[in-house]
Amino acid sequence: MNTKDNTPAASGKTGGKPAVKKAPAKSARRRSREHALQGIYQWLVTGEDVGVVDAHTREQDGFEKADRGHYDKLFNGAIEEAADLDAVLARHADRKTTELSPIEHAILMIGAYELKNCIDIPYKVAINEAVELAKSFGGTDGHKYVNGVLDRAAIDLRPVEVKAARGS
């Protein structure tokens, strides 16, 4: 018998305890979305100056592990284009963005911004990343709402890509 096959890791046993899977490490892009979400949320709730919110966000634990370029693009871009993004979202949401929870509003802004401006990110990835943010930070079924709104918004913002994906 090969001794390699008898190791605890190979047999799935760890001293009688079930093996615990470790969650995969967050990517730098995921971290940039999380920090952008925190900043946009703070901006929506407090109305503070963007520079103050940005400085506060950069001081948060783990910011050094984020993709700073993507964070800058999301945070500043979503705030600069807030009115345009809200107009896009309003066409696909069942209520005004001002009536959404601030966390879901911020997540939708990030998702819509990526759909509109980050064409290097496939639309399904942009939607999925927003859904993951909603699962981590939003309300109980907020991820379903985010998915539905962004899925409909993708048709407006990336019509060729969506048509190609759905046609195949």
Side-chain angles (χ1 to χ4, degrees), residues 52-63:
V52 171
V53 173
D54 183 38
H56 180 259
T57 303
R58 289 175 185 277
E59 294 172 355
Q60 299 303 308
D61 288 340
F63 186 82

Side-chain angles (χ1 to χ4, degrees), residues 29-46:
R29 279 245 170 128
R30 168 89 37 102
R31 291 175 190 273
S32 66
R33 289 179 184 98
E34 290 177 350
H35 287 287
L37 172 61
Q38 291 172 13
I40 295 167
Y41 172 83
Q42 182 179 346
W43 177 75
L44 287 170
V45 171
T46 66

Side-chain angles (χ1 to χ4, degrees), residues 1-167:
M1 178 181 221
N2 186 340
T3 56
K4 288 184 181 180
D5 295 336
N6 237 356
T7 62
S11 65
K13 297 178 185 172
T14 54
K17 296 179 185 176
V20 177
K21 289 186 178 180
K22 198 172 181 181
K26 292 179 184 176
S27 71
R29 279 245 170 128
R30 168 89 37 102
R31 291 175 190 273
S32 66
R33 289 179 184 98
E34 290 177 350
H35 287 287
L37 172 61
Q38 291 172 13
I40 295 167
Y41 172 83
Q42 182 179 346
W43 177 75
L44 287 170
V45 171
T46 66
E48 285 181 300
D49 178 73
V50 173
V52 171
V53 173
D54 183 38
H56 180 259
T57 303
R58 289 175 185 277
E59 294 172 355
Q60 299 303 308
D61 288 340
F63 186 82
E64 70 282 353
K65 295 179 183 177
D67 176 338
R68 291 186 180 125
H70 197 61
Y71 162 81
D72 288 337
K73 187 186 291 189
L74 292 177
F75 176 76
N76 293 309
I79 291 174
E80 287 169 9
E81 296 183 26
D84 290 340
L85 297 174
D86 281 353
V88 168
L89 295 169
R91 290 194 298 270
H92 305 289
D94 61 351
R95 60 192 152 228
K96 296 176 185 176
T97 55
T98 56
E99 296 173 3
L100 296 170
S101 80
I103 196 74
E104 287 163 354
H105 185 190
I107 292 167
L108 286 168
M109 288 175 69
I110 289 169
Y113 181 86
E114 283 194 328
L115 286 171
K116 183 179 177 201
N117 298 293
C118 302
I119 59 170
D120 59 314
I121 300 171
Y123 87 95
K124 288 182 180 183
V125 172
I127 293 171
N128 185 60
E129 288 294 327
V131 167
E132 291 302 317
L133 286 174
K135 285 179 180 178
S136 295
F137 299 99
T140 303
D141 285 332
H143 66 282
K144 294 176 186 176
Y145 186 77
V146 165
N147 185 59
V149 171
L150 291 178
D151 194 49
R152 290 186 296 274
I155 296 167
D156 282 352
L157 298 170
R158 304 245 191 121
V160 173
E161 186 181 356
V162 171
K163 185 177 180 182
R166 293 183 180 174

